[in-house]
Amino acid sequence: MNRPEANSRLSSYKSNSINTQDSRVRRHEVTIELRKSKKEDQMFKRRNINDEDLTSPLKEPNGQSPVQLSVDEIVAAMNSEDSERQFVGMQSARKMLSRERNPPIDLMIGHGIVPICIRFLQNVANPMLQFEAAWALTNIASGTSDQTRCVIEQDAVPHFISLLTSKSIQLAEQAVWALGNIAGDGPIARDIVINHGVIDGILRLINDETPLSFLRNIVWLMSNLCRNKNPSPPFEQVKRLLPILSHLLLSTDIQVLADACWALSYVTDDDNNKIQAVVDTDAVPRLVNLLQMDEPSIIVPALRSVGNIVTGTDQQTDVVIASGGLPRLGLLLQHSKSNIVKEAAWTVSNITAGNQKQIQAVIEAGIFNYIKQVLENGDFKAQKEAAWAVTNTTTSGTPEQIVDLIEKYKILKPFIDLLDAKDPRTIKVVQTGLLNLFNLAEKLGGTENLCLMVEEMGGLDKLEALQQHENEEVYKKAYAIIDTYFNTGDEGAEQELAPQEVNGALEFNATQPKAPEGGYTF
């Protein structure tokens, strides 16, 4: 490989504009990656099997009285002209579908009870029958997509929407529960629910008198209305939920707070206009405040929301900083749960991909002390995000800020150690950061000192080893760094550095300068 080729390749790494653009593209990619991760505290569908939360209007404990009828007898009773037999059949069907284990959903669907239940939903003269039918359909809709689709295709949604105005609060709550299960099935089902006017219906239900159990179900439904992409929900509709979701961040109930935060995390995981709509509701200071809660089920979605917001414009990121977000992130970088540390590091990396004033705020908050700890001892996924925080700073920061990383925060050694990572993407992040550092050192006349530091920290050995890496971009970057900054031989010696020309270990005979007095500086 000749020198012009190496310089050409290096120029692509040295361009601040290209690096900054890459950082912002990466911020979106990481958002997608984190969105795909399992959310152990969030259920998209919920079956109604807990009688302490919601019992039949007859106050008959579900599950304690076994169903005496066979499925055929249940269906026959439901098809009866006698209202009492209809109710017994409907209640028996609901009890079967409320079994904690292996409810016979497909069996019941196969016997045609869904259209019967939907007919009973419309029997306003018999609220108890409506309630049992709504409960049964809720549990059918809690199943697979095929089972949920069966409920949708029988036109249940508009009847559930109508029940939101019922005088019976139990019936309205069961309708909310059913609609939450349907909306939670995916974007197509969600949009069917939205297009039938659910948002008008649930906004009317929320007031200071709404019982807590009912409010929890409403907020959970709201979160499912905001969830899923491809396509995203119709924003002009979802936008109407944002003021109440922001207000609900002042709640003291864990479940309400968690679902409100998840809803906002879904909305902010999109373009800057949607992020701004959330910012405009004054939600940011409330989300930041929730980061200090001692409750992971709240911290995770609140942190996800804050992390999404700082992927937006510099002005949107400034709102998070002005709300006291950085000290909270510093604490979360020390959290006992590794997934929280990872997302806190991801959020910091989004901020350091911003402007120099924002990077200075990160520095002044002492965040890099914790980033160093993550690089040294964190879970690998958190280390990867911490590496991005460093590399983004070397891309966008001032010379003084970048020198601070090395001299004040001693970040170079744990950063270099990640060259041993098994993940090629992480290696490339570190290599890009190193190239940025060498580019700055060159401008400041400190290349020799930086070479010595990197070599004494084991970086040169790691870069040599990476020249044998199976990933082409990794070994080419490793070669470029060595070829440009560590090779002091003649052009013939440079040719020998090329990976395609070596067999076995590489040898470097560069003279090792002594460390300067007073430490390593540029």
Side-chain angles (χ1 to χ4, degrees):
M1 186 181 297
N2 59 36
R3 175 70 68 178
E5 287 176 353
N7 287 341
S8 173
R9 195 172 48 253
L10 275 172
S11 69
S12 69
Y13 303 133
K14 291 181 179 179
S15 167
N16 276 345
S17 62
I18 291 176
N19 276 328
T20 303
Q21 183 180 6
D22 287 347
S23 296
R24 293 190 182 276
V25 170
R26 171 260 167 190
R27 294 164 89 183
H28 177 66
E29 288 172 349
V30 170
T31 306
I32 293 172
E33 176 186 328
L34 292 174
R35 188 178 67 247
K36 288 179 179 175
S37 65
K38 295 280 186 182
K39 307 178 188 72
E40 59 189 26
D41 300 308
Q42 173 76 354
M43 294 183 296
F44 302 138
K45 292 188 179 183
R46 296 173 178 170
R47 291 179 60 230
N48 182 0
I49 57 175
N50 187 342
D51 292 292
E52 292 180 359
D53 290 340
L54 187 57
T55 58
S56 159
L58 297 180
K59 303 298 180 186
E60 180 179 342
N62 171 44
Q64 292 186 4
S65 54
V67 176
Q68 304 294 335
L69 303 178
S70 69
V71 175
D72 286 334
E73 289 171 331
I74 288 172
V75 174
M78 292 173 71
N79 280 318
S80 168
E81 295 297 322
D82 180 73
S83 60
E84 290 186 9
R85 285 198 68 204
Q86 285 179 351
F87 183 81
V88 169
M90 184 65 259
Q91 189 177 63
S92 298
R94 181 268 296 171
K95 288 183 178 180
M96 273 196 177
L97 291 165
S98 300
R99 288 179 188 165
E100 192 159 359
R101 294 184 181 180
N102 303 318
I105 296 178
D106 284 331
L107 180 64
M108 292 298 216
I109 290 174
H111 277 74
I113 78 155
V114 172
I116 304 173
C117 289
I118 292 170
R119 190 172 77 243
F120 289 169
L121 279 186
Q122 303 167 66
N123 191 340
V124 293
N126 193 340
M128 291 189 295
L129 185 67
Q130 286 180 295
F131 179 84
E132 294 289 348
W135 188 339
L137 289 169
T138 296
N139 286 351
I140 292 173
S142 74
T144 66
S145 289
D146 285 342
Q147 292 164 347
T148 305
R149 192 179 304 115
C150 180
V151 175
I152 296 171
E153 289 175 350
Q154 294 292 333
D155 210 26
V157 172
H159 300 300
F160 279 125
I161 299 292
S162 296
L163 290 177
L164 296 178
T165 60
S166 171
K167 294 179 181 178
S168 164
I169 194 167
Q170 285 184 315
L171 194 48
E173 181 172 358
Q174 195 61 57
V176 165
W177 198 326
L179 291 166
N181 279 342
I182 295 170
D185 191 65
I188 295 174
R190 175 205 65 206
D191 289 350
I192 289 171
V193 172
I194 290 174
N195 292 334
H196 276 92
V198 68
I199 291 177
D200 282 328
I202 58 178
L203 287 177
R204 285 193 295 263
L205 293 173
I206 299 178
N207 55 59
D208 292 338
E209 306 301 318
T210 307
L212 180 57
S213 67
F214 195 4
L215 182 62
R216 286 172 174 170
N217 271 335
I218 294 170
V219 181
W220 167 68
L221 167 57
M222 292 167 75
S223 75
N224 275 350
L225 295 175
C226 296
R227 193 172 68 88
N228 278 312
K229 289 197 168 188
N230 302 317
S232 297
F235 188 61
E236 285 308 307
Q237 289 294 323
V238 169
K239 187 177 181 180
R240 299 166 61 205
L241 298 174
L242 297 182
I244 190 66
L245 285 168
S246 177
H247 179 72
L248 288 167
L249 297 178
L250 301 173
S251 171
T252 57
D253 182 72
I254 290 174
Q255 194 171 321
V256 168
L257 285 170
D259 281 324
C261 288
W262 278 121
L264 292 173
S265 78
Y266 303 142
V267 175
T268 53
D269 185 16
D270 212 311
D271 62 49
N272 294 348
N273 290 332
K274 295 178 184 178
I275 292 174
Q276 189 59 44
V278 172
V279 171
D280 289 342
T281 66
D282 293 326
V284 175
R286 298 166 188 177
L287 287 165
V288 168
N289 189 54
L290 292 174
L291 296 180
Q292 63 189 349
M293 296 279 287
D294 187 25
E295 178 55 58
S297 66
I298 295 172
I299 293 173
V300 170
L303 179 55
R304 184 76 57 86
S305 300
V306 171
N308 288 341
I309 290 166
V310 298
T311 67
T313 65
D314 284 348
Q315 291 74 24
Q316 290 163 350
T317 300
D318 285 339
V319 177
V320 171
I321 295 173
S323 299
L326 289 171
R328 305 294 202 288
L329 290 170
L331 293 174
L332 294 180
L333 286 168
Q334 306 167 71
H335 201 276
S336 59
K337 280 189 170 286
S338 61
N339 67 314
I340 289 176
V341 176
K342 173 195 70 178
E343 297 212 14
W346 165 67
T347 303
V348 170
S349 78
N350 286 337
I351 298 173
T352 61
N355 59 44
Q356 294 171 350
K357 182 179 177 183
Q358 291 165 346
I359 291 173
Q360 188 60 35
V362 173
I363 291 172
E364 291 175 0
I367 297 294
F368 281 106
N369 290 317
Y370 309 120
I371 290 292
K372 181 188 178 188
Q373 292 172 13
V374 173
L375 287 170
E376 290 174 334
N377 304 309
D379 174 84
F380 173 69
K381 290 181 180 178
Q383 289 179 319
K384 179 180 177 180
E385 297 303 331
W388 267 112
V390 175
T391 292
N392 285 346
T393 303
T394 67
T395 298
S396 306
T398 65
E400 293 77 13
Q401 290 169 340
I402 297 169
V403 170
D404 260 1
L405 291 186
I406 295 175
E407 294 193 344
K408 182 176 180 180
Y409 294 103
K410 313 294 183 188
I411 215 123
L412 191 57
K413 175 66 166 66
F415 186 62
I416 286 174
D417 285 345
L418 280 182
L419 289 172
D420 288 331
K422 290 183 168 53
D423 173 40
R425 290 174 298 177
T426 302
I427 297 171
K428 286 185 281 186
V429 170
V430 178
Q431 288 175 320
T432 300
L434 284 175
L435 281 165
N436 290 339
L437 291 174
F438 276 112
N439 183 38
L440 176 62
E442 212 168 22
K443 293 175 181 175
L444 300 178
T447 304
E448 187 176 303
N449 286 342
L450 183 59
C451 284
L452 177 62
M453 292 175 69
V454 170
E455 186 170 357
E456 290 193 343
M457 291 172 179
L460 181 55
D461 290 340
K462 297 180 196 302
L463 288 167
E464 290 174 17
L466 290 175
Q467 289 187 123
Q468 310 300 323
H469 199 278
E470 60 186 8
N471 183 285
E472 181 179 8
E473 195 174 346
V474 167
Y475 75 67
K476 284 185 175 180
K477 277 191 174 184
Y479 170 72
I481 295 171
I482 294 172
D483 184 46
T484 306
Y485 298 108
F486 288 93
N487 182 32
T488 58
D490 57 22
E491 189 67 19
E494 289 176 9
Q495 294 295 327
E496 293 175 5
L497 292 177
Q500 63 268 30
E501 297 183 13
V502 299
N503 291 308
L506 299 175
E507 294 182 0
F508 290 84
N509 298 312
T511 303
Q512 296 185 11
K514 293 182 179 179
E517 291 183 8
Y520 302 114
T521 65
F522 289 156

